[in-house]
């Protein structure tokens, strides 16, 4: 059974509902961290901060009304030059970070910074998109082992699509797709206790012991940016004190449900990533209304369904 939505006390404030840090973006890839940030807010995060290279700082500040932003040193290519501020300063502010959306996987020095940051960042961490491309082969095992040795570190969640999984495991995509559960379990072992979300039809989530196969979603979601939305959802749920595995399972389900609701309204052919964010309120309400209710808790109305 899927977990219930995170509870929220009557005296909740924005600081008690999860502080999510999105680290991503590069010149020409400003949209990816925006999608992750908007999805995090729509998934209940109390505060969302976005760290981007200075060259796109003004762009992000204009696109995101609710988020705070911070610009970091950039390379000549418009990618991150240093992420030291993330683990030195921003880790004290955040409960969970997403590293990767639009971060620019072509720059070797940026990828080295991502690996270093993943090792030293002490809070819960979601690695997505180009954040995953920094960890081919043995690098993932090295980072997983290093984080495992630091007992105080919170969960590590990886969200690869089949192509990214093929790079992580150094095997062909068709082999990944032939046995998706086995591929997810193999990758999970390298993380030394992390959670792996292998995206695609029948998304697989595993923590090495439990396995969840997601039943919803549709081909219209095969469009740029939907993975960034998923990473924002999962991070927001983790920031609200959900167990990492349960947050990943519920995040995947709500993401797929939002995609199905958007497809019902717009058709699969016209679906774009921001349509999923628009449907997240209805997805959350549908899951809330489907769950058994405690006495005194009234169901919320569904809209636009």
């Amino acid at each position: 059974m899927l977990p219930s939505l995170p509870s929220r006390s009557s005296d909740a404030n924005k600081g008690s509902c999860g502080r999510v840090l999105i680290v991503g973006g590069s010149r020409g890839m400003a949209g990816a961290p925006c999608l992750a940030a908007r999805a995090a807010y729509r998934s209940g995060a109390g505060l969302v901060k976005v760290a981007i290279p200075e060259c796109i700082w003004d762009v992000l500040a204009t696109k995101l009304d609710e988020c705070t932003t911070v610009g970091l040193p950039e390379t000549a290519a418009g990618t991150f030059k240093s992420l030291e501020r993330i683990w030195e300063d921003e880790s004290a502010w955040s409960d969970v970070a997403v590293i990767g959306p639009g971060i620019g996987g072509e720059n070797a020095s940026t990828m080295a910074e991502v690996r270093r940051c993943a090792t030293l960042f002490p809070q819960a961490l979601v690695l997505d998109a180009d954040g995953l491309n920094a960890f081919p082969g043995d690098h993932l095992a090295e980072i997983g082992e290093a984080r495992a040795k630091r007992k105080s570190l919170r969960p590590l969640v990886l969200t690869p699509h089949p192509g990214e999984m093929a790079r992580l495991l150094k095997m062909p995509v068709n082999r990944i797709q032939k046995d998706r559960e086995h591929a997810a379990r193999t990758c999970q072992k390298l993380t030394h206790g992390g959670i792996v979300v292998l995206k695609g039809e029948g998304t697989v989530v595993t923590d090495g012991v439990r396995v969840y196969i997601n039943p919803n979603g549709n081909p219209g979601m095969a469009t740029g940016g939907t993975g960034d939305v998923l990473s924002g959802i999962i991070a927001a749920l983790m920031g609200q004190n959900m167990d990492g595995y349960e947050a990943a399972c519920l995040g995947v389900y709500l993401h797929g449900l939002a995609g199905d609701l958007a497809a019902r309204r717009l058709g699969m052919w016209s679906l774009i990533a921001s349509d999923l964010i628009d449907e997240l309120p209805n997805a959350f309400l549908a899951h809330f209304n489907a769950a058994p209710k405690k006495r005194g808790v009234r169901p919320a109305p569904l809209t636009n369904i």
Side-chain angles (χ1 to χ4, degrees):
M1 292 182 63
L2 284 165
S4 300
L5 296 177
S7 60
R8 185 168 294 199
S9 65
S10 59
D11 63 347
N13 61 73
K14 60 188 177 183
S16 66
C17 293
R19 299 170 185 261
V20 178
L21 175 66
I22 310 293
V23 183
S26 57
R27 188 178 297 130
M29 294 286 286
C34 290
L35 289 168
R38 290 181 56 215
Y41 260 133
R42 281 297 188 190
S43 300
L47 291 166
V48 181
K49 182 184 291 188
V50 186
I52 59 278
E54 288 179 337
C55 60
I56 58 170
W57 193 355
D58 289 346
V59 175
L60 268 290
T62 302
K63 286 174 68 69
L64 297 172
D65 292 330
E66 295 88 356
C67 299
T68 56
T69 57
V70 56
L72 299 181
E74 66 189 64
T75 66
T79 62
F80 286 110
K81 183 177 182 180
S82 172
L83 292 174
E84 184 174 358
R85 178 170 173 177
I86 300 303
W87 70 78
E88 288 289 344
D89 300 324
E90 300 301 337
S91 63
W93 175 88
S94 59
D95 298 308
V96 56
V98 177
I99 298 181
I103 212 166
E106 301 298 320
N107 189 286
S109 64
T110 299
M111 293 296 93
E113 278 295 290
V114 169
R115 291 192 292 273
R116 190 178 178 204
C117 188
T119 303
L120 297 174
F121 188 79
Q123 308 291 12
L125 185 60
V126 179
L127 283 174
D128 182 46
D130 284 329
L132 290 166
N133 293 329
F135 298 92
D138 294 339
H139 281 302
L140 182 58
E142 292 170 5
I143 299 300
E145 184 177 3
R147 286 182 64 88
K149 287 180 178 178
R150 300 175 65 190
K151 300 296 185 180
S152 62
L153 291 182
R154 297 185 64 202
L156 171 67
V157 178
L158 277 62
T159 61
H161 59 55
E164 291 161 345
M165 181 66 87
R167 288 190 287 274
L168 288 171
L169 298 182
K170 294 186 176 180
M171 62 175 62
V173 173
N174 60 358
R175 186 176 167 191
I176 299 291
Q177 294 292 72
K178 186 176 181 180
D179 192 342
R180 288 168 50 80
E181 182 178 333
H182 175 73
R185 285 182 177 275
T186 300
C187 184
Q188 190 279 333
K189 289 179 181 178
L190 296 175
T191 68
H192 292 266
I195 296 114
V196 171
V197 178
L198 176 54
K199 296 182 289 194
E201 183 182 7
T203 293
V204 180
V205 183
T206 183
D207 63 356
V209 178
R210 297 168 288 182
V211 176
Y212 169 74
I213 310 295
N214 193 56
N216 60 18
N218 63 83
M221 297 168 67
T223 184
T226 56
D228 303 317
V229 173
L230 176 60
S231 65
I233 297 171
I234 294 173
L237 295 174
M238 292 172 71
Q240 294 168 81
N241 295 316
M242 284 193 72
D243 167 81
Y245 175 76
E246 292 191 346
C249 293
L250 183 57
V252 165
Y253 175 80
L254 293 170
H255 179 258
L257 179 56
D260 288 346
L261 293 172
R264 185 188 305 179
R265 179 168 57 92
L266 301 167
M268 291 189 292
W269 301 268
S270 299
L271 205 64
I272 59 175
S274 57
D275 295 327
L276 271 66
I277 298 174
D278 293 340
E279 290 292 349
L280 280 175
N282 286 328
F284 273 72
L285 286 171
H287 186 60
F288 175 80
N289 286 343
K293 300 297 180 294
K294 296 179 180 179
R295 182 177 299 177
V297 178
R298 301 179 64 181
L302 289 175
T303 59
N304 300 327
I305 297 180

